[in-house]
Amino acid sequence: MTITDLRPGHPTGAPGAIVHSYLPLRYVLTESLVVRSGYDPLRITTDHVVNGRAQRGMLAAALRHAGRDHLVEPWIARGSAIRFAPAFPRLEDPAGAAATVPAPRCWHVHTPPGHTDPLLADLLAAPAAPGISYRALGGLVTPDLARRAVPLTRTEQYLGVARKDAGRHGVPYLTTSLEPGQVYEARWQLSAGSADELADLAAHVLDTLAAADGLLSLGSGGTRAHGGGIRVAPALGEGAPLTPDRLDFGRSDWPAGEVRDLLLLSPALVDDHRGRPAPAALTAAAARALADLLGPGAAEPVGAHIQQEAVGAYHRLYRGPMAEQWAAAPGSVVRLRALRTITLAEIRAVEARPLGRRAADGHGAAVLVPVAAPGPVPADHAPLVRTDTADPPPHPPAAVEPPGPERTEFRTRPVALGDGSPVRVDPAWVAAEAAADPARSPVARLQDTLLTRAAADPVRARARDLARRSARLPPAPLLGRLREVASAPAADPRAVLTRLAGVVTGDPDRAAPHTPLPEPARADLAATAVPHGDRELPLPQWLDSAAGDPRAWWRHAGPDPAALAAALAPVDLTWRGGGGPGAAARAWSDRPEVRARLSVQLITCWLAAAAWIGRDTGHREEAR
């Protein structure tokens, strides 16, 4: 079922009318997650709600991964086909699942005289009694105020990257993140020209998310290593993924004379009559929306409880926070009285209209819900994944002979993910993928990244050892010039080696676009002797031989093969117990582009170590 946009000039069923529906998505956190964190450099605290902007970035990354860049503009940039919505905790139990919403700001907790247990009070229905203390309900509750979701969090400490003005050491900071294994639900609003187009749009969105399964991430996972991995599935199943309702609670006609609450689910950036941001203008914005969609005299506001909050964002392109604005906070309530009977279709049309600006990010989403009856304080529940599901079917036995006792390392066991589903990995498939071309296989790209990072430590240690054993190191200005040449952008590592060789040998063709060193500077470099195997080479010849034959040069200049193998084995995806690096890791270290990349790293580390040694030597000479 869909919702028709009740706009003037576009009656129901008329050509050009826009229909809306909602795509409920179930998120399962597979890693710790930080969303909407502040800018305190020493503490990062997550919000308990996944805002629409974070999900917008998640879908954009999924489109990039699927090669559907042409859909980024209509789906992400324009916001006309898809309007994202905040994801709230989802309470699951054997009886079913219940969505949560921000607690209405008008509800407070108090203890009346003669009672021992606290009760709820609706301060829009009756004013506060004198002499009794009230506190806001707060949090995320079910619409009937029976249960409250309390997401589980963890606190971790990280070591930040050292800043240029903060010395050589990073500053530790704390993060409070959401625990994995919790469930959230978001309902994205989809818009199209017809019901068939709407169904096709939902199918394309689900296909895109399914293609990126295992790669989806939310929050700060991509930049601060705080996790953020999730698994996404349609909350209503694959057969009928769409629903006409933003919320399943209170779906009925609105009789005349009855009051209902327009509950804000996300911040609303509303303006006053002068165009200035004014959260208090939410009541007027709601009244205008009802008059535009239902006509004058359909409903009137009888009260409101509005709070404000500062709304900002982080701009990935410009790498900085965006300007903050005052907005009506989620949970703000505008109480309305129906002056005539309002049908369920009209209620859905009102809920489909966002209040204020930035609707593509999910701002301004609201629902019309019946006013709950006062009662006890809702009980707290964690939004954990249901654990009463049946065990997965047994894994079918392989059609090959089982491994013998001496090959127990080849036996695989299922690994449970954050949502409890088992995953088995075939070692033969991993070995084949790891040995493939990194441009084609993501497993090979991961293998290349892991091995390159693991090889960095022995390469740096070897470079420092060569620098300490080198005789007559060049002066600091020459070393700085060579370091600039080595760090300049290049097409590939072989080009860096060729460029360095041209600079130190005076060959302008190979040194381009850099200028070769003059003869006196080359003479100073020639006085430096670098250990190379069982002999010593002048520095220009040492660099020139690296560009001529990196494989032969690496045999004498590279780190000890045993030390390199010991560093690669822990991160080798094809490693088997009791042996060294697998065939894929050995093939990786023999690739010409890898040898050139490691050679450039060794040379740049040698230049840096030589500069440090020369500076320390100068300080010691001055102390004498």
Side-chain angles (χ1 to χ4, degrees):
M1 184 175 179
T2 60
I3 310 164
T4 302
D5 193 0
L6 302 180
R7 298 184 302 170
H10 291 83
T12 303
I18 298 177
V19 294
H20 308 282
S21 194
Y22 300 95
L23 177 62
L25 297 174
R26 178 176 179 267
Y27 298 157
V28 177
L29 307 185
T30 59
E31 298 175 331
S32 59
L33 171 64
V34 174
V35 291
R36 195 177 176 271
S37 59
Y39 301 108
D40 186 350
L42 300 181
R43 178 174 296 275
I44 296 174
T45 303
T46 183
D47 194 357
H48 291 172
V49 177
V50 182
N51 56 44
R53 188 175 180 86
Q55 301 170 67
R56 192 180 185 187
M58 177 193 72
L59 182 59
L63 290 173
R64 301 282 189 190
H65 176 266
R68 301 179 179 180
D69 294 2
H70 63 285
L71 295 177
V72 171
E73 181 178 351
W75 285 14
I76 307 298
R78 294 181 183 175
S80 57
I82 301 177
R83 288 174 179 169
F84 300 87
F88 299 109
R90 173 185 168 107
L91 300 179
E92 297 182 343
D93 53 32
T100 60
V101 295
R105 304 277 179 165
C106 58
W107 285 97
H108 288 67
V109 179
H110 74 301
T111 303
H115 292 73
T116 57
D117 296 330
L119 300 176
L120 295 179
D122 181 7
L123 297 189
L124 277 181
I132 299 179
S133 60
Y134 294 80
R135 60 180 176 87
L137 174 60
L140 301 164
V141 298
T142 54
D144 57 358
L145 304 185
R147 291 183 290 173
R148 177 166 52 186
V150 182
L152 304 179
T153 59
R154 63 168 62 171
T155 300
E156 301 169 316
Q157 187 173 13
Y158 291 84
L159 183 63
V161 179
R163 296 171 52 185
K164 294 182 180 179
D165 57 349
R168 298 176 57 186
H169 302 287
V171 178
Y173 61 94
L174 298 174
T175 65
T176 300
S177 56
L178 297 173
E179 286 272 10
Q182 302 186 85
V183 190
Y184 279 71
E185 181 179 334
R187 295 199 174 190
W188 295 356
Q189 183 181 1
L190 308 185
S191 303
S194 64
D196 293 338
E197 294 178 5
L198 207 58
D200 292 340
L201 176 59
H204 288 323
V205 171
L206 293 177
D207 290 344
T208 301
L209 295 175
D213 186 31
L215 303 175
L216 297 174
S217 177
L218 284 173
S220 305
T223 56
R224 294 177 178 172
H226 301 329
I230 65 168
R231 300 190 69 181
V232 182
L236 302 181
E238 298 284 352
L242 294 176
T243 177
D245 296 310
R246 191 185 290 275
L247 189 68
D248 295 333
F249 176 78
R251 299 293 92 180
S252 62
D253 291 346
W254 186 3
E258 181 182 306
V259 294
R260 291 196 178 186
D261 287 342
L262 183 68
L263 176 64
L264 205 59
L265 301 180
S266 57
L269 295 163
V270 292
D271 302 329
D272 60 11
H273 63 285
R274 296 184 178 179
R276 299 173 301 184
L282 179 64
T283 304
R288 285 195 303 270
L290 289 172
D292 292 343
L293 295 171
L294 309 182
E300 63 177 0
V302 295
H305 195 113
I306 302 171
Q307 293 189 9
Q308 65 181 13
E309 68 175 19
V311 173
Y314 184 86
H315 203 293
R316 278 292 189 91
L317 179 61
Y318 298 111
R319 297 184 180 181
M322 299 174 63
E324 291 187 341
Q325 297 183 17
W326 287 113
S332 297
V333 172
V334 177
R335 185 152 296 176
L336 304 165
R337 176 186 291 113
L339 302 178
R340 63 171 176 83
T341 299
I342 300 175
T343 64
L344 180 57
E346 292 175 321
I347 292 176
R348 289 167 174 165
V350 171
E351 294 177 343
R353 170 74 67 89
L355 300 174
R357 293 173 279 108
R358 288 176 61 179
D361 287 335
H363 292 317
V367 290
L368 278 166
V369 293
V371 180
V377 176
D380 293 343
H381 297 271
L384 297 176
V385 178
R386 286 180 56 182
T387 57
D388 60 333
T389 55
D391 294 333
H395 187 64
V400 297
E401 183 180 355
E406 71 280 359
R407 296 173 62 84
T408 56
E409 68 274 8
F410 284 90
R411 298 176 180 175
T412 60
R413 295 180 179 179
V415 178
L417 298 180
D419 61 350
S421 60
V423 172
R424 291 176 171 84
V425 178
D426 183 8
W429 178 84
V430 173
E433 287 293 317
D437 183 9
R440 183 188 60 85
S441 171
V443 177
R445 288 196 296 272
L446 175 62
Q447 174 88 324
D448 181 74
T449 301
L450 293 175
L451 295 178
T452 300
R453 294 177 178 176
D457 285 341
V459 168
R460 293 193 192 102
R462 174 62 173 172
R464 289 191 293 266
D465 178 67
L466 290 177
R468 283 192 296 265
R469 295 192 293 118
S470 299
R472 298 175 298 277
L473 294 176
L478 278 180
L479 290 174
R481 172 72 187 282
L482 295 181
R483 293 176 70 182
E484 290 178 0
V485 176
S487 61
D492 55 71
R494 291 297 297 268
V496 176
L497 296 176
T498 301
R499 192 169 53 199
L500 271 172
V503 169
V504 300
T505 59
D507 186 349
D509 294 335
R510 292 197 297 171
H514 297 274
T515 304
L517 293 176
E519 182 61 33
R522 296 202 302 270
D524 290 341
L525 293 180
T528 301
V530 183
H532 193 70
D534 55 356
R535 59 196 179 106
E536 292 184 347
L537 293 180
L539 181 57
Q541 184 180 350
W542 189 64
L543 296 176
D544 189 33
S545 60
D549 189 356
R551 185 183 183 90
W553 181 86
W554 180 259
R555 283 199 302 267
H556 299 290
D560 180 62
L564 184 61
L568 298 182
V571 298
D572 180 14
L573 298 180
T574 63
W575 180 81
R576 297 292 180 264
R586 292 193 297 270
W588 173 85
S589 60
D590 291 336
R591 295 211 309 263
E593 65 274 13
V594 173
R595 287 291 177 89
R597 186 195 312 159
L598 297 180
S599 299
V600 170
Q601 187 177 25
L602 190 146
I603 290 173
T604 54
C605 291
W606 185 95
L607 294 173
W612 278 100
I613 293 173
R615 185 170 63 178
D616 292 343
T617 302
H619 291 333
R620 289 195 297 268
E621 293 295 335
E622 292 177 0
R624 291 180 183 178

